[in-house]
Amino acid sequence: MKIMDCTLRDGANVVGNGFSAELTGMMLRGMTENHYPIIEFGNAKGIGASDKGFPAPVSDEEYLKIAQPFLDKAEIGMFLNAKRYEAANVELAARYNLGFLRCGSDAGDAHLYLEQIKDIKNHGMKAYFSQMKAYILSPDELAEEARILEDAGIDEITLMDSAGCMFPDQVSASVEAVKKAVKVPIGFHCHANMGMCSANAVAAYRSGADILDCGLLGMARSAGNMPTELATALMQREGECRELDFYGLLHYLDQELIPAMGKHGYKPPLMPRDLILGYSGCHSAFVKSFTAVAAETGVDLYQLIVETSALNRKNPSEMLMREIAAKLA
C-alpha cells in the first residue's frame, strides 16, 4: 500500500487554484522529509489551467522549478484534465523531468483521451488516469474501462469518489472488479461529503487497492479529502506504510503547516493530538497527565501516549507514564 498526497493539487482548492511558492516548497519539504512516496502538485485544476481561466498564484513552469530539488526524493507529478489537454503542457512537464501526469476524465469517457495517454508515455513520463465520478458507472463498467486504459499503456488507475457519495460496499465492489480486470496498480480517491472517507479508504484497502489519495489536514475541494495523517494512522494500524514517519509528519503539521494555514483561515477537521488519541486508544481525560510528564522528562508526547497506551488503555498511572518516558529518553 502506498499513499499519494494530493494536498498541493486538490488541497489548493481551499485557497483558490493553487498554493503560493512558499507554501508549495514548505509542503514538498515536509512530505519528502517524512518519506511520502507520491506527490501530486501544481494548479488545482491541472497543468495548463491558468491559460483556461483558472489562474494560480504561480505559473506551471514556476511550480516545476520549485519541485526540482525534491524530484529524487519522491515521485512527483501533476494533474491533467483531459478536456484541457495541449501537447505543449506535456512537453513542459517532460522538460522539467516530472515523474508522471495524471490524466482525468469523467468515468466512461476514457476512450476519448487515449492519444493523451500515448503522448505522456512518449515523453518518458508515467501516465496515470483518474476515473472521476466513479460512482456513475457500475463496477463492471469501471472494470471494462480499466481494460481499455491498460491496453493503452496506462501505469495506474484511480477510482475517484468525486462527490463523496460512495459507501464502503460500493467502494469494495468497484475496487474488486477493477483489480480482477487489470494488473496495473489501482488507487482510490475519497471525499468527506458524507463523512465516509475513512471507512471508504479502509474498504478500498481491504478490497485490494494499492494506493490511497489524501491531503494534509484534509485539505481538498468541497468538504475535503481524507487527511494524509489519518490515512497514515489507518494504514499503520493495518501493518502497512511503516516507511512513513508518522510522528515526524504530525510534528511538521503542529509546528509549521497548521500555523501557516491558520493565516489563511483554514481550520483542520482533525488535530494531530486528537488523531494520536484515536490511534493509541487513549481517553482524552489522561492528556493533562501525559503532557506534564512529557514536558518534565523531555520526551515526545505522541510517542509517550502511544507506548503507554499499548500497555494500559483503561487507566494509565503516572508511574507507568514515567517508566515509559525513561525508556523513550
Side-chain angles (χ1 to χ4, degrees), residues 72 213 251:
D72 63 344
D213 282 13
H251 292 307

PDB file of all heavy atoms in Angstrom, residues 72 213 251:
ATOM      1  N   ASP A  72      14.246  13.726  -6.657  1.00  0.00           N
ATOM      2  CA  ASP A  72      14.927  12.475  -6.327  1.00  0.00           C
ATOM      3  C   ASP A  72      14.505  11.913  -4.973  1.00  0.00           C
ATOM      4  O   ASP A  72      15.024  10.898  -4.512  1.00  0.00           O
ATOM      5  CB  ASP A  72      16.445  12.676  -6.341  1.00  0.00           C
ATOM      6  CG  ASP A  72      16.923  13.682  -5.297  1.00  0.00           C
ATOM      7  OD1 ASP A  72      16.081  14.442  -4.776  1.00  0.00           O
ATOM      8  OD2 ASP A  72      18.137  13.709  -5.012  1.00  0.00           O
ATOM      9  N   ASP A 213      -5.370   8.085  -2.145  1.00  0.00           N
ATOM     10  CA  ASP A 213      -5.203   9.535  -2.282  1.00  0.00           C
ATOM     11  C   ASP A 213      -5.627  10.216  -0.984  1.00  0.00           C
ATOM     12  O   ASP A 213      -6.596   9.790  -0.337  1.00  0.00           O
ATOM     13  CB  ASP A 213      -6.094  10.079  -3.401  1.00  0.00           C
ATOM     14  CG  ASP A 213      -5.520   9.824  -4.784  1.00  0.00           C
ATOM     15  OD1 ASP A 213      -4.580   9.026  -4.903  1.00  0.00           O
ATOM     16  OD2 ASP A 213      -6.021  10.438  -5.741  1.00  0.00           O
ATOM     17  N   HIS A 251       4.445  16.307  13.853  1.00  0.00           N
ATOM     18  CA  HIS A 251       5.166  17.467  14.390  1.00  0.00           C
ATOM     19  C   HIS A 251       5.324  18.549  13.325  1.00  0.00           C
ATOM     20  O   HIS A 251       5.260  19.744  13.638  1.00  0.00           O
ATOM     21  CB  HIS A 251       6.510  17.040  14.954  1.00  0.00           C
ATOM     22  CG  HIS A 251       6.392  16.193  16.186  1.00  0.00           C
ATOM     23  ND1 HIS A 251       5.660  16.593  17.293  1.00  0.00           N
ATOM     24  CD2 HIS A 251       6.875  14.965  16.488  1.00  0.00           C
ATOM     25  CE1 HIS A 251       5.709  15.648  18.221  1.00  0.00           C
ATOM     26  NE2 HIS A 251       6.432  14.650  17.752  1.00  0.00           N
TER      27      HIS A 251
END
